[in-house]
């Protein structure tokens, strides 16, 4: 994949004359685009062999790539495809007017057909599994597909309205918008196409937000609850919030970063598995309307809980998986959840108060789990943050001898690294399922079910 430079703009002459590296920002190269890479870009190379991570392109295309970050001698450069010389058959006109080089950074694949987006995500998962865990899709019990959520399989040009939580930034003129890619700059918008109807109907983009640094809009799917969380700039006063629908208002405090109620409920109500969950301000709940139910079912189908089982729900949030487990293990079973967020723990205890044999502990998993004195468990669910669980936690988990472990992952690289650690500890992947719960972006959700390698398939 060699390429000839089309134009070179290599920083200023004083930098070139000194020992400082020469910036290549603005340089353009005509390149043949190679495979997709983790992070929403594809790989290409300059004629000199320097790696380019190129956004707004697709594998197999020939494009003019303009460097957005990097310098001579760097291990790689970041770039945008500003001109498509030869297009992929999977390319479409981006439905969103704010998508494209230098514009909104919220979506990565607006220019790809929906089916192509899922194939690209599948290729990323397969590459990460092979490189970091030494697993082929067959060895991971995965058929290589990334499944769309219910209702998301739409024709090209139609965009799923799935984002129930949108974090708006505010520009110097008080306009609400979204951040540009790898930038603090704000792209003002009139409407986000992937925002859920419950967010769009608030009319955030139509208001003047002068004095605010950001606004988070939340539209629960398990109820009609709507909430905005305002983060004022230092010294700014909170505005009177008058939106198009009833909404509760929260404020991010400048001195401690805490979130405090201004008016309305300090939580929203969500539904999954026939149960209502209270989710406090700043608490975690899956963003896609179908995600909580989809992932809960995948986990329960993979674990096949039995009456009387003991189970762990690690990084348990407000108790989604703990609640599903408690329903299935019955009165003679027991569930322990561990969560670091204080407010999430309060919510989880409230949500699961009807279960006598459910306990929720607050703290980091790697600190709390060893202190519990638990030496064995039948089932384990872990849904760690993007960085993954890590070697120390995985080593502890394999020592508990669980019959099955469900690993829910929003990052294929972290998942693959941890699966490698589980493999070293004597666990194999029984099945892996992938779900496209973040359409138009590079993000993807996976559920891996593990069991002791000595056990027959």
């Amino acid at each position: 994949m060699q390429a000839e430079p089309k134009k070179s703009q290599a920083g200023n002459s004083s930098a070139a004359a000194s020992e400082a590296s020469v910036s290549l920002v603005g340089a353009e190269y005509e390149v043949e685009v190679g495979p997709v890479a983790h992070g929403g870009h594809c790989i290409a190379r300059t004629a000199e062999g320097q790696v380019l991570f190129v956004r707004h392109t697709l594998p197999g295309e020939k494009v003019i790539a303009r460097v957005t970050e990097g310098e001579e001698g760097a291990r790689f450069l970041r770039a945008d495809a500003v001109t498509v010389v030869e297009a992929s058959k999977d390319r479409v006109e981006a439905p969103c007017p704010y998508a494209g080089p230098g514009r909104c950074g919220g979506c990565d694949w607006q220019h790809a057909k929906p089916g192509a987006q899922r194939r690209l995500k599948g290729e990323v998962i397969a590459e990460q599994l092979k490189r970091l865990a030494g697993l082929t899709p067959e060895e991971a019990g995965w058929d290589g597909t990334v499944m769309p959520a219910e209702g998301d399989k739409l024709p090209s040009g139609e965009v799923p309205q799935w984002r129930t939580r949108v974090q708006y930034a505010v520009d110097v003129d008080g306009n609400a918008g979204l951040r540009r890619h790898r930038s603090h700059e704000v792209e003002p918008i009139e409407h986000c196409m992937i925002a859920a109807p419950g967010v769009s109907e608030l009319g955030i983009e139509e208001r003047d937000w002068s004095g605010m640094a950001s606004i988070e809009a939340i539209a629960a799917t398990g109820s009609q609850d709507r909430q905005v969380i305002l983060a004022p700039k230092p010294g700014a006063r909170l505005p009177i919030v008058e939106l198009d629908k009833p909404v509760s208002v929260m404020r991010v405090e400048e001195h401690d970063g805490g979130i405090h109620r201004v008016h309305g409920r300090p939580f929203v109500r969500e539904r999954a598995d026939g149960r209502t969950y209270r989710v406090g301000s700043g608490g975690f709940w899956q963003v896609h309307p179908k995600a909580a139910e989809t992932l809960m079912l995948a986990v329960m189908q993979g674990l096949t809980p039995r009456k009387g089982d003991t189970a762990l729900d690690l990084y348990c949030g407000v108790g989604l998986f703990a609640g599903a487990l408690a329903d299935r293990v019955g009165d003679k079973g027991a569930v322990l959840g561990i969560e670091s967020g204080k407010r999430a723990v309060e919510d989880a205890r409230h949500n699961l108060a009807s279960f006598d044999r459910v306990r929720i502990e607050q703290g980091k998993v790697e600190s709390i789990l060893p202190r519990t004195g638990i030496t064995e468990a039948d089932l384990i669910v872990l849904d760690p943050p993007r960085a993954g669980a890590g070697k120390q936690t995985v080593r502890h988990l394999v020592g508990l001898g669980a019959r099955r472990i469900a690993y829910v992952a929003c990052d294929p690289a972290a998942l693959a690294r941890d699966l490698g650690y589980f493999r070293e500890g004597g666990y194999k992947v029984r099945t892996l399922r992938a779900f496209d719960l973040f359409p138009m972006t590079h993000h993807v959700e996976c559920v891996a079910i593990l069991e002791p390698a000595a056990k027959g398939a």
Side-chain angles (χ1 to χ4, degrees):
M1 295 192 307
Q2 293 298 305
E4 294 298 328
K6 187 174 180 63
K7 179 180 68 176
S8 179
Q9 294 175 247
N12 57 52
S13 57
S14 60
S18 69
E19 293 183 358
S21 298
V22 178
S23 172
L24 290 176
V25 173
E28 294 185 356
Y29 299 90
E30 183 173 297
V31 295
E32 293 180 5
V33 180
V36 64
H38 183 30
H41 47 250
C42 297
I43 298 174
R45 290 182 183 273
T46 68
E48 296 76 25
Q50 196 165 20
V51 173
L52 288 169
F53 289 157
V54 188
R55 283 173 59 81
H56 309 292
T57 189
L58 294 169
E61 291 189 327
K62 181 180 286 187
V63 301
I64 306 299
R66 180 182 298 154
V67 177
T68 56
E69 291 181 44
E71 55 195 23
E72 286 186 356
R75 201 160 51 88
F76 62 86
L77 306 172
R78 296 185 184 276
D80 285 340
V82 293
T83 302
V84 178
V85 180
E86 294 178 9
S88 165
K89 62 180 176 57
D90 290 324
R91 176 174 284 276
V92 294
E93 187 73 26
C96 178
Y98 307 106
R103 304 296 300 277
C104 174
C107 292
D108 306 292
W109 299 121
Q110 286 266 351
H111 57 285
K113 294 177 182 177
Q117 293 182 36
R118 294 191 287 272
R119 288 197 302 275
L120 291 170
K121 295 181 186 192
E123 290 171 17
V124 169
I125 295 169
E127 190 273 334
Q128 297 294 305
L129 287 173
K130 187 63 177 178
R131 185 169 64 87
L132 297 175
L135 293 171
T136 64
E138 292 75 19
E139 289 170 329
W142 177 45
D143 63 5
T145 62
V146 176
M147 297 299 297
E150 180 186 344
D152 276 1
K153 202 166 184 180
L154 300 173
S156 294
E158 293 187 31
V159 177
Q161 298 172 325
W162 60 271
R163 196 166 188 92
T164 62
R165 294 176 177 235
V166 177
Q167 181 86 38
Y168 295 92
V170 180
D171 69 11
V172 294
D173 297 318
N175 300 308
L178 300 172
R179 299 284 185 190
R180 291 170 183 151
H181 182 62
R182 293 177 62 82
S183 172
H184 292 294
E185 293 182 1
V186 179
E187 178 78 16
I189 64 170
E190 294 182 0
H191 173 64
C192 175
M193 292 189 72
I194 64 172
V199 169
S200 297
E201 68 186 13
L202 294 177
I204 298 290
E205 301 94 336
E206 301 167 8
R207 302 299 192 272
D208 183 349
W209 296 102
S210 297
M212 298 300 101
S214 67
I215 309 110
E216 182 176 8
I218 300 168
T221 54
S223 66
Q224 291 299 310
D225 294 347
R226 305 288 182 264
Q227 187 178 86
V228 294
I229 303 174
L230 305 180
K233 295 176 181 176
R237 298 181 62 182
L238 210 64
I240 296 174
V241 179
E242 295 180 346
L243 296 174
D244 294 346
K245 295 288 180 178
V247 64
S248 62
V249 179
M250 309 295 290
R251 174 192 176 111
V252 179
E253 293 296 341
E254 181 183 338
H255 66 281
D256 63 1
I259 299 176
H260 302 279
R261 184 176 72 90
V262 177
H263 69 75
R265 290 193 184 98
F267 58 84
V268 297
R269 293 162 297 177
E270 298 285 1
R271 292 281 293 177
D273 198 29
R275 179 174 296 278
T276 297
Y277 288 85
R278 186 181 81 182
V279 184
S281 304
F284 175 77
W285 188 260
Q286 291 287 343
V287 177
H288 193 291
K290 301 291 185 181
E293 193 81 16
T294 297
L295 297 174
M296 181 279 302
L297 287 173
V299 167
M300 294 304 120
Q301 290 166 358
L303 291 180
T304 59
R306 304 168 185 166
K307 296 295 184 183
D309 276 343
T310 58
L312 300 177
D313 181 8
L314 308 180
Y315 317 93
C316 71
V318 300
L320 171 65
F321 298 120
L325 286 165
D327 268 336
R328 290 159 177 78
V329 302
D331 294 339
K332 294 184 179 179
V335 180
L336 170 66
I338 300 177
E339 166 60 37
S340 62
K342 181 179 179 182
R343 181 56 196 265
V345 168
E346 292 173 359
D347 287 337
R349 289 171 178 166
H350 169 87
N351 294 332
L352 306 178
S354 62
F355 295 108
D356 293 335
R357 302 200 64 187
V358 173
R359 189 168 96 249
I360 307 295
E361 297 286 348
Q362 183 191 347
K364 294 184 177 180
V365 168
E366 60 269 27
S367 301
I368 297 297
L369 187 56
R371 296 181 200 163
T372 62
I374 292 174
T375 57
E376 60 182 11
D378 296 308
L379 303 172
I380 298 171
V381 181
L382 64 157
D383 185 5
R386 194 168 299 280
K391 183 178 288 189
Q392 176 186 345
T393 297
V394 170
R395 282 179 173 173
H396 191 110
L397 296 182
V398 299
L400 300 179
R403 181 175 76 246
R404 286 193 183 168
I405 298 173
Y407 190 125
V408 183
C410 61
D411 185 88
L415 171 66
R417 279 193 297 270
D418 284 346
L419 291 184
Y421 301 145
F422 275 111
R423 195 180 193 184
E424 293 171 5
Y427 273 75
K428 68 177 181 180
V429 185
R430 176 183 174 88
T431 61
L432 188 146
R433 297 171 70 183
F435 302 96
D436 188 16
L437 301 178
F438 308 89
M440 301 292 162
T441 80
H442 74 271
H443 300 291
V444 62
E445 202 85 23
C446 296
V447 176
I449 304 298
L450 300 100
E451 64 184 10
K455 182 179 178 178

